[in-house]
Amino acid sequence: LAFGVLLLKENIAARKEEARHHVFKIVDLGEQSVDPADWGRNYPRQYDSYRRTSELTSTKYGGGGSDTLATDKLKEDPRLVTIFRGYAFAVDYRLRRGHAYMLSDQRDTKRVTQHAQTGACLHCHAANTVAYRKVGLANGATGTLNDPLVSSHGYAQLQKGFEKVGAMPYSNAVALVEHPVTCLDCHDPDSTQLRVTRPAFLNGIRKLAESTAPLPHLPSIEKWRKGDRREPYDPNRLATRQEMRSFACAQCHVEYYCGPKMTLFYPWDRGLKVEQIEAHYNSLKFPDGRRFFDWVHADSGAEVLKAQHPEFELWSQGIHARSGVSCADCHMPYKREGAIKVSDHWVRSPLLNVANSCQTCHRMPEEEITARVAIIQERNHALLLRAEEATVALIRAIAEARKNGATEEALRSARELQRRAQWRVDFINAENSMGFHAPQEAARILGEAIDDARQGQIALLQPRASSAAQPKPTSVK
Amino acid sequence: LAFGVLLLKENIAARKEEARHHVFKIVDLGEQSVDPADWGRNYPRQYDSYRRTSELTSTKYGGGGSDTLATDKLKEDPRLVTIFRGYAFAVDYRLRRGHAYMLSDQRDTKRVTQHAQTGACLHCHAANTVAYRKVGLANGATGTLNDPLVSSHGYAQLQKGFEKVGAMPYSNAVALVEHPVTCLDCHDPDSTQLRVTRPAFLNGIRKLAESTAPLPHLPSIEKWRKGDRREPYDPNRLATRQEMRSFACAQCHVEYYCGPKMTLFYPWDRGLKVEQIEAHYNSLKFPDGRRFFDWVHADSGAEVLKAQHPEFELWSQGIHARSGVSCADCHMPYKREGAIKVSDHWVRSPLLNVANSCQTCHRMPEEEITARVAIIQERNHALLLRAEEATVALIRAIAEARKNGATEEALRSARELQRRAQWRVDFINAENSMGFHAPQEAARILGEAIDDARQGQIALLQPRASSAAQPKPTSVK
Amino acid sequence: MRAAIAIVLGVLLGLGGYTFYYAQGASYLSNDPKACVNCHIMREQYDGWLKSPHRPYATCNDCHTPHALIPKYWTKAENGFWHSKGFTLQDFHEPIRIRPKNSRVLNENCVACHREFTAEIRVTHGHDADKLDCIRCHMDVGHGPPR
Ligand SMILES: [Ca+2]
Ligand SMILES: [Ca+2]
């Protein structure tokens, strides 16, 4: 019993101590400290949780499953095979999983092993700042590797290297990198302050700032717009801390173009909404003068678009973004370690950690919170399947009409509607929250997809009236 | 013992305090006190705000406008004329306005002046408890008018009178009532406690309780279900205070059937969701053996349904209901009157009173709150118009096929799809919050409506494949 | 678990004097809000309270312990036990959530101070007459907005 008293006292003393704790610098970190283990010496708590991204997890719609290979999306939903016919995604398309896998999963996907890809793919799948800068320097950029990344020299090296590495064949480029996303990609080595380092993001957010789309959830952009605009918008200099807690993720969790015909870019010149991005794509021309598209659908012959993980874009339309809730608030919540609060670097589904991630704001039992997410996701899933069915029906109808010898002219309107429908369905299918990041917006997009796809079928069946079924330009606000 | 004594003393002090509170009974109120002016003597603050429901107000989607007659929905949206062809709603259909107008607006609508209606209409448009009870007594119900309404006598009188008055022609029935909804309809005259008095609500909620639909937002029903169920569910005895703050409104702001073929009822036997109600209607037969419908569409010949103001039903699917936020919280918020706070009985759009109705829970500027509502409503409105367009296109297509001599058999599938689409479109159009009460659910419903309507068009154009386009039974959970 | 509780209970009731002193357990008996922040665990609530509209009018105890004398010290003793136990074993749910029992105490305290002002809205009562839940609407009065 006396033991008990001592234990108690000991414990209280320990906690009081922890509250006074500081960071002990053991290793000197710099712009070339790519290896997370080095950082781990100084920041063992963050490093420990960072490494846990290698654990296999799954929730109803999240995580990658418990198999060695992440769950196969094409097997789970065969409609996708029809939808992506003629494109690499029809060959291999899996659920995402932890950050620890990003480099190997990319190296191993049949989209890479069976299709020619470029070095641009590495932009979001590796710790690449040093590699980019080295290649940049080798190609004429000025300064040295020791310049801070956030400096004119650092930026110029990065951009130059990004362009060069992006143009290499994948197999050459991948030899230049070693780690999945690492500390240096998100943190200044000197101050540990958050920073963004992905060139396509730096370019994309600059374009977004220069657009006229209202961005109430990104106050530093709204503020920059009111200034003299002589310097382009730079998140590393201007963004608020709360914005940076989302920008760190928006470096990669965004829609992109990464094909062989143009340098990797994020299509935000008109805004982040599904129809604003579509309008931007529709306005783009390839170097050969043709209208922008991702691939020509094998069955229907339509020039269609591929959406990839637009988490940042969909989140931007939701109530959480609007309320200033960042990606890190939910996916890297603070957790208490003794008396210290640290950000949980085990980036994963918040449903695996509801107490830290949701309950700080929502005062209700865990079961209630997961029930609410389930309702949102189930509704979204049902509507998503409906929209996919409609899209598949349209693809089949066009394919059949082709077989029956329909003219290109007769197919035009239906193909345009396929492009619209498919873009919308894919926007929500490729987005990884199953509607949660912005439930009403996701449902609206799916509703439009259904309308477009079914109108495409009607256009084929009723060619005279096809002018009425022309794709209506959705007003872009 | 000392403990007990102290506690007792505290308690007595508290009671003395209560006794000094502000209500001065000037008038003795009883079950026959229909005139709100009498209540107003005792409760001048509530009475004053109650009377303000006669003020004309409007917001972008709320209120009735500033004209003598409420804004004409048919003029604002001519698609509705096509959708309701063959039914009284195609003749006169206006925006709702304050409670003070409910009796006169009903008396004056062309739906009443140009179409034969029954006394059932008065169920939700007048202070009718005394009228019902008198007629009930005259038709053999036992007890007296002085029995408390919430008693077996009182209930029996009410139910009998409700059935009898409901069967009268409107013009006879309306002579029995004098006031729009009044204090007695929502309050016990003795205790001022909330109560519900509408027979169709009492019947409907009993059926709902007996269903298996999960109702996490109505805890007293979930509790009753776990009991022995010997006594049917009675909200006046079992509901929590917070539930009563919504039930008071759910007496009237609900979907109903009020045609000549059956007694007025609320279709909640399978639950409150759009497809649960639809399933219930589809399972019903009229006395003549025909399947239930509201009217036969003049252009298409389809047996279609009419949805009316399902505010309670849609709210039930939303995040506010789930969070225990009642109708009264938003539409009758507390307000300060000198040294006392009271419920604002000026029932109206919360957007006219954001400070009291939203800002206690949502700590943000008023403009931010209204902006959020606007985003929700605009998204919903755009999708609603899309769904209406699809429905109108289907109606036109069926009408044309009929003209061209299509057989009944060839039209069957398209008409069924019209019934489904129309029910869904109308559910959201007739609901008065323009999607706000449950944004994702509303969008889902509209997405389904679009799919159904467009599939109807396809079924007509592609008769061979029509089996594929058969209405799929939506799973009812 | 039960054993752990039993041990701590024994400690507190029996030989816990020194620990009680060291952890400034006596602060539980004072009305000074600083007493509560002795546990860094309460820091957030303390910081919130500093900025809340109630700071000039109400201390932690005004809201969180019964105003009557004996229940007050009973509640303090009971909460003191739970909080010490939680602090020591670090086995409590985070974020900290008020227990239903303390929630009731809290609500009674709102009414105790705002009796007159809320007299009329408390007159009409449903079937759970006692529980007009002030916190449902006024969640932020003690500690500012929850987010
Ligand atoms: Ca893309
Ligand atoms: Ca109806």
Side-chain angles (χ1 to χ4, degrees), chain B residues 255-257 281 294 306-308 423:
Chain B
E255 157 61 7
Y256 64 85
Y257 171 75
Y281 280 145
D294 278 302
K306 175 79 189 80
Q308 285 97 343
W423 166 243

Side-chain angles (χ1 to χ4, degrees), chain B residues 87 89 254-258 265 267 277 281 292 294 305-309 423 426:
Chain B
Y87 202 43
F89 280 88
V254 297
E255 157 61 7
Y256 64 85
Y257 171 75
C258 173
F265 67 87
I277 299 178
Y281 280 145
F292 180 91
D294 278 302
L305 304 172
K306 175 79 189 80
Q308 285 97 343
H309 34 74
W423 166 243
D426 207 20

Side-chain angles (χ1 to χ4, degrees), chain A residues 44-62:
Chain A
R45 295 184 184 80
Q46 286 81 5
Y47 181 56
D48 285 352
S49 56
Y50 166 88
R51 286 199 298 172
R52 297 189 70 183
T53 60
S54 64
E55 291 185 25
L56 296 175
T57 63
S58 62
T59 63
K60 175 105 194 253
Y61 294 108

Side-chain angles (χ1 to χ4, degrees), chain A residues 87 254-258 267 281 292 294 305-308 423 426:
Chain A
Y87 202 43
V254 298
E255 156 62 6
Y256 65 84
Y257 171 75
C258 172
Y281 281 146
F292 180 93
D294 279 300
L305 304 172
K306 175 78 189 82
Q308 283 97 345
W423 167 242
D426 206 19

Side-chain angles (χ1 to χ4, degrees), chain B residues 2-3 6-7 10 14 17-18 20-23 43 45-46 187 191-194 235-242 245 324-325 329 334 336 338-343 360-361 363, chain C residues 53 66-72 74 111-112 114-141 144-147:
Chain B
F3 180 77
L6 264 177
L7 201 68
E10 285 284 325
E17 181 98 37
E18 292 286 5
R20 276 193 264 114
H21 91 257
H22 296 71
V23 177
Y43 306 106
R45 296 179 189 83
Q46 287 82 0
H187 291 286
S191 64
T192 338
Q193 189 177 314
L194 277 181
N236 284 322
R237 295 201 171 88
L238 300 174
T240 65
R241 175 177 185 152
Q242 192 57 11
R245 290 168 58 85
V325 186
D329 287 350
Y334 292 125
R336 177 194 261 284
I340 194 105
K341 71 196 272 200
V342 294
S343 298
T360 27
C361 295
R363 290 288 178 181
Chain C
H67 290 183
L69 202 63
I70 291 196
K72 174 169 176 164
W74 174 249
V111 174
H114 297 287
R115 195 174 294 285
E116 296 269 323
F117 189 62
T118 58
E120 192 148 337
I121 61 166
R122 286 182 294 110
V123 179
T124 52
H125 45 79
H127 307 277
D128 46 352
D130 319 324
K131 185 95 168 124
L132 176 57
D133 183 0
C134 311
I135 284 70
R136 199 166 58 75
C137 298
H138 297 294
M139 184 136 62
D140 55 359
V141 290
R147 49 182 90 100

Side-chain angles (χ1 to χ4, degrees), chain B residues 258-435:
Chain B
C258 173
K261 300 193 190 167
M262 292 158 104
T263 307
L264 169 63
F265 67 87
Y266 299 173
W268 299 337
D269 302 44
R270 289 162 199 237
L272 298 168
K273 289 191 197 171
V274 69
E275 54 269 320
Q276 289 167 331
I277 299 178
E278 182 184 42
H280 180 59
Y281 280 145
N282 287 344
S283 74
L284 281 186
K285 296 232 179 314
F286 283 125
D288 66 7
R290 270 177 89 174
R291 191 245 319 244
F292 180 91
F293 61 89
D294 278 302
W295 88 102
V296 174
H297 195 279
D299 296 350
S300 76
E303 293 173 345
V304 283
L305 304 172
K306 175 79 189 80
Q308 285 97 343
H309 34 74
E311 277 93 59
F312 174 64
E313 292 88 340
L314 191 65
W315 164 84
S316 292
Q317 305 311 320
I319 202 78
H320 281 107
R322 187 94 198 190
S323 304
V325 186
S326 70
C327 317
D329 287 350
C330 296
H331 290 280
M332 294 183 66
Y334 292 125
K335 65 169 183 176
R336 177 194 261 284
E337 294 235 340
I340 194 105
K341 71 196 272 200
V342 294
S343 298
D344 190 344
H345 280 61
W346 184 8
V347 178
R348 63 190 146 140
S349 164
L351 299 184
L352 300 169
N353 188 15
V354 168
N356 288 22
S357 86
C358 318
Q359 284 180 314
T360 27
C361 295
H362 299 284
R363 290 288 178 181
M364 49 185 99
E366 174 154 350
E367 311 80 69
E368 176 59 19
I369 291 181
T370 48
R372 290 182 186 197
V373 176
I375 289 172
I376 292 171
Q377 293 189 325
E378 292 310 328
R379 276 196 200 120
N380 193 74
H381 188 241
L383 206 58
L384 176 62
L385 291 191
R386 208 177 255 271
E388 285 179 6
E389 298 254 306
T391 307
V392 167
L394 174 56
I395 292 172
R396 297 228 167 99
I398 303 179
E400 192 162 307
R402 275 177 107 184
K403 252 191 241 137
N404 298 339
T407 63
E408 288 296 294
E409 184 46 35
L411 297 176
R412 210 182 48 83
S413 171
R415 281 176 176 161
E416 281 309 296
L417 284 156
Q418 183 193 339
R419 178 172 162 123
R420 288 173 55 87
Q422 187 148 339
W423 166 243
R424 284 166 175 72
V425 161
D426 207 20
F427 202 86
I428 301 307
N429 179 47
E431 209 278 340
N432 285 299
S433 70
M434 192 47 81

